Amino acid sequence: MDKLAILIPAYNEAQTIGKVVSDVKAVTNNIPGTSIYVYDNNSSDDTTAIAQEAGAIVRHEYAQGKGAVIRRMFREIDAEVYIMIDADDTYPVEAIPEMYSRVVNRGVDMVVGDRLSSTYFEENKRPFHNVGNSLVRWLINFLFKTDIRDILTGYRAFSFRFVKTFPVLSRGFEIETEMSIHATEKRMLVENQVVSYRDRPEGSESKLDTYGDGFKVLKTVINLYRGYHPFAFYSIFSLIALIVAVLLFVWRVAIPYSNTQMVANLPTLIVSMILLVLSVIAFFSGSILNAIQTNDKRNFELALIHTEDRLKDLNHEQ
C-alpha cells in the first residue's frame, strides 16, 4: 500500500508526459512511499515508453475514455492519499505537497485544484471553455448548494475512503462533474486549493470536444440531480402540470360554464384532468424515490465504516 499514489491518465501525451513525471518525482522526493502511476488509454504515440523511461509505473486501460481509466485506477491501487493530475503539463506540480498535507493532516476527502480563481481565463485560448466552466460551476453550486470553485478541473487529491466508495458511472470527461457532486452529496469534506494554470504547449492537442463534452456534462448534472434530489426534480414537473391543468380548466371550462351552464369544451376538460393525474403521479413518484434515496444514504454511511476498517487492516498488514 502506497502512502501517496500519483495518478496520471494519459492518451497521446508523448510531448509532455516525460516532463510531468520528472517534475512530480522532484516534488515528492520528501514524501516516502510515493508511487507514480501512468495509465495509458490506447495511445498511438510513444507515451508509454517515455513514461517508463521517466520512472513511472505504466499500466493500461483498453476501454476508451477518461472515466474508464479512472475506474481502473481506483480499483487497482491502494493508497492512503491519491493525487490525480493531467498529463498535459498544464498544472503546477508544486501544489502536490500541500494537497497531500490537507488530506493527511486535516482529513479532507477531496482537494480541488482551483484554476478558475487564478490564471485560467488568461491562459486558456478557447473562449467557449471559459463560458462552459463558469456555467457548470454556477449550475452545480446552485442546484447542490455547494461551493466548489472549479468543477471540471483534472487536478485533485483524494482520501482512501473517497476513492473506495466512489461509483464511477461516466466514461468520458464528465467524470470530474460526477466526482464533485458525489463528494458534496455524501457530505465528504471538500476544500478548494487555488493553483495556477498554463495552457498546453504548442503542438500539444486537447482531447476535449467543446460542444459534445459540454452537452455530456450538462446531461450528467441533470441525471445526478434527479438521482440525488428526486423529490425536488419530480416536483418541478408536478407543479408545471398542475398549473397548466388549473389554467386550462378555469379558462376553457369553468368560466364558459358559469356563463352558459354547459360544458362547451369537453376535450379541454379531459386534457386538464389528465394533466392533474400526471401531476399527482409525479409528486408521489418523487416522494417514493426520495424515501429510497434516504435509505441509500444510510447504507453509504455503513459502507464508509467498512472502508475505514479496510484501511486500518491494510496499514496493519504493512
Side-chain angles (χ1 to χ4, degrees), residues 6-10 17 21 36-40 47-48 51-52 56-60 73 87:
I6 306 294
L7 309 179
I8 309 176
I17 188 64
V21 172
I36 303 172
Y37 297 90
V38 172
Y39 271 73
D40 180 70
T47 296
T48 298
Q52 287 176 330
I57 301 169
V58 177
R59 295 180 180 177
H60 298 271
M73 293 191 296

Side-chain angles (χ1 to χ4, degrees), residues 7 21 66 90 124 126 137 140 143 149-150 155 167 186 206 214 231 253-254 277 284 295 308:
L7 309 179
V21 172
K66 190 173 184 179
T90 58
N124 183 49
R126 294 155 293 185
R137 177 176 62 177
I140 288 179
L143 291 177
R149 297 172 191 162
D150 191 348
Y155 197 12
K186 298 307 181 183
S206 172
F231 184 73
V253 178
V277 171
F284 282 103
N295 188 59
E308 296 289 350

Side-chain angles (χ1 to χ4, degrees), residues 230-232 234-235 280-294:
F231 184 73
Y234 286 100
S235 291
V280 173
I281 291 173
F283 179 83
F284 282 103
S285 296
S287 300
I288 294 169
L289 292 172
N290 189 67
I292 295 173
Q293 175 64 15
T294 301

